[in-house]
């Protein structure tokens, strides 16, 4: 059977051009790919690349990826590249508050060379979730950590450095847990109080035995939050600020959780949320005296003893895990983190 192909002059010319193009590609053994960066990145090896290699790559084999590659992130998010000038100060602070304390505690850099992820992948903005929360770090398979919101970080700000400290130790804890699992006894301390919509809860997490609201998301996040917040706060703040919460709260028998404002340090009081419209009409914005009549007078010191007892159980499991799994004295590591934090922000 004969097949007849009709090709017009224009189509024939197009066919010839395509054929030449294909032939040319096949002839070339190596294609020169064009750099596809966004923002202020510079292609090739730059001074920043050398500094990052000296900081993270040479000893720890950690690649800091700041040149933009959207495929590294979940495509549902709209993100922006890191500002180049923000990268080195942020990573320097990260090394001080994350890597250096482990080196001091273990006596060498072997632990971090063994267990640190091989990539830190940076985004300039945070991942904003549909539930109103944001994701500022993700540990993936023990191989890399995604760090977002780099453009908002001021490496000289104590609050920002503490935020990075908490984030890095939280995500690194996930990696350590993937290498060596913790005992399932941890999951049994507060088994019925984990909730998917942790961000909607108005209950003080300490009353239930949690170190943060986010810890209520799952046992895995709970463990990572225990580690990261105890290291971030240090022993004194953990014991004297979090455990011994001294502020009285509105009597729960009269004022349900969520029905009143957060503690107003300037006014030294709480008010009912339902009174807010009336308060705004009379508040002179200078002193609290103009709205004193709206303050809640029926205050009680909450009893968190049951929650604290559960938190202590979790703390003991965390401390035992670090000792048995990695031969690390957690309280000594905690002290070293605080020393490194003071060094980073001075």
């Amino acid at each position: 059977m004969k097949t007849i192909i009709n090709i017009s002059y224009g189509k024939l010319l197009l066919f010839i051009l395509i054929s030449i193009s294909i032939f040319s590609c096949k002839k070339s053994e190596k294609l020169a790919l064009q750099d596809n960066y966004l923002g202020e990145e510079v292609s090739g090896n730059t001074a920043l690349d050398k500094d990052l290699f000296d900081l993270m790559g040479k000893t720890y084999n950690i690649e800091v990826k700041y040149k933009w590659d959207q495929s590294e992130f979940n495509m549902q998010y709209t993100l922006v590249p890191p500002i180049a000038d923000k990268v080195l100060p942020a990573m320097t602070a990260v090394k001080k508050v994350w890597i250096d304390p482990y080196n001091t505690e273990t006596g060498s850099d072997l632990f971090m060379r063994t267990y640190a992820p091989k990539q830190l992948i940076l985004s300039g903005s945070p991942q904003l979730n549909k539930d109103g929360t944001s994701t500022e770090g993700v540990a993936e398979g023990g191989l890399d950590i995604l760090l977002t919101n780099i453009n908002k970080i001021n490496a000289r700000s104590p609050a920002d450095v503490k935020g990075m400290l908490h984030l890095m130790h939280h995500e690194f804890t996930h990696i350590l847990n993937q290498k060596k699992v913790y005992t399932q006894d941890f999951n049994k301390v507060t088994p019925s109080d984990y909730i998917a919509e942790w961000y909607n809860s108005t209950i003080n997490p300490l009353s239930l035995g949690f170190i943060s609201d986010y810890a209520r998301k799952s046992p895995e996040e709970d463990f990572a939050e225990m580690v990261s917040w105890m290291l971030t706060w240090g022993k004194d703040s953990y014991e004297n600020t979090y455990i011994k919460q001294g502020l009285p709260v509105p009597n729960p028998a009269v004022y349900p959780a969520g029905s009143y404002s957060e503690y107003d340090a300037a006014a030294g009081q709480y008010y009912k949320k339902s009174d807010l419209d009336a308060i705004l009409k009379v508040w002179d914005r200078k002193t609290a005296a103009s709205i004193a009549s709206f303050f809640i007078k029926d205050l009680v010191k909450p009893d968190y003893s049951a929650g604290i007892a559960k938190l202590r159980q979790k703390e003991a499991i965390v401390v035992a895990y670090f000792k048995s799994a990695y031969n690390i004295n957690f309280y000594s590591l905690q002290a070293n983190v605080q020393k490194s934090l003071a060094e980073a922000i001075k």
Side-chain angles (χ1 to χ4, degrees), residues 57-83:
K58 184 184 298 183
T59 301
Y60 306 100
N61 196 27
I62 300 173
E63 177 189 14
V64 179
K65 294 193 68 174
Y66 69 95
K67 294 177 181 177
W68 194 242
D69 183 353
Q70 178 69 55
S71 67
E72 297 281 9
F73 300 90
N74 191 318
M75 299 298 285
Q76 71 173 302
Y77 298 104
T78 300
L79 303 171
V80 302
I83 297 171

Side-chain angles (χ1 to χ4, degrees), residues 162-180:
K162 285 182 180 180
M164 288 190 293
L165 189 165
H166 171 256
L167 177 62
M168 288 305 304
H169 284 283
H170 178 106
E171 300 305 334
F172 187 51
T173 299
H174 284 313
I175 290 175
L176 294 179
N177 291 164
Q178 290 165 9
K179 304 293 185 182
K180 298 181 182 181

Side-chain angles (χ1 to χ4, degrees), residues 75 78 115 123 168 186 191 254 282 289 297 346:
M75 299 298 285
T78 300
Y115 294 108
S123 165
M168 288 305 304
F186 184 91
V254 181
V282 300
K297 304 298 191 298
K346 71 179 182 180

Side-chain angles (χ1 to χ4, degrees), residues 99-153:
I99 293 179
D100 289 354
Y102 276 101
N103 289 350
T104 301
E105 179 57 33
T106 60
S108 76
D109 55 27
L110 179 60
F111 180 85
M112 293 306 286
R113 286 196 287 117
T114 302
Y115 294 108
K118 298 312 171 191
Q119 287 184 324
L120 300 180
I121 304 171
L122 311 185
S123 165
S125 55
Q127 294 183 354
L128 301 178
N129 304 313
K130 293 179 180 178
D131 58 21
T133 63
S134 66
T135 300
E136 299 197 356
V138 180
E140 298 196 334
L143 299 177
D144 57 52
I145 293 178
L146 307 182
L147 297 175
T148 71
N149 211 24
I150 293 296
N151 293 348
K152 293 296 184 181
I153 292 174

Side-chain angles (χ1 to χ4, degrees), residues 246-293:
L247 289 177
V249 299
N251 187 341
V254 181
Y255 304 101
S259 67
Y260 52 87
S261 68
E262 294 183 1
Y263 181 74
D264 187 329
Q269 284 287 0
Y270 304 86
Y271 58 83
K272 291 189 296 181
K273 289 183 178 179
S274 59
D275 286 341
L276 182 57
D277 288 342
I279 288 172
L280 293 176
K281 291 179 180 178
V282 300
W283 185 29
D284 63 10
R285 299 185 181 276
K286 296 179 180 178
T287 68
S290 59
I291 57 173
S293 61

Side-chain angles (χ1 to χ4, degrees), residues 7-25:
I7 303 178
S8 67
Y9 175 77
K11 291 182 179 179
L12 177 60
L13 179 60
L14 178 60
F15 176 76
I16 293 171
L17 291 174
I18 293 174
S19 299
I20 293 172
S21 177
I22 293 173
F23 176 76
S24 299
C25 288

Side-chain angles (χ1 to χ4, degrees), residues 186-249:
F186 184 91
N187 301 8
K188 300 174 183 177
V189 178
T190 51
S192 60
D193 290 316
Y194 294 106
I195 54 173
E197 294 188 355
W198 55 271
Y199 46 86
N200 282 333
S201 176
T202 57
I203 299 173
N204 187 314
L206 179 60
S207 67
L208 299 175
F210 293 90
I211 201 166
S212 71
D213 288 318
Y214 185 57
R216 297 187 64 192
K217 183 179 181 181
S218 68
E220 296 76 20
E221 299 301 339
D222 190 4
F223 194 98
E225 283 287 270
M226 284 294 298
V227 172
S228 56
W229 277 122
M230 284 195 290
L231 293 178
T232 302
W233 289 333
K235 190 170 181 61
D236 287 345
S237 292
Y238 172 68
E239 294 289 346
N240 299 320
T241 302
Y242 190 70
I243 298 294
K244 297 179 181 178
Q245 294 186 23
L247 289 177
V249 299

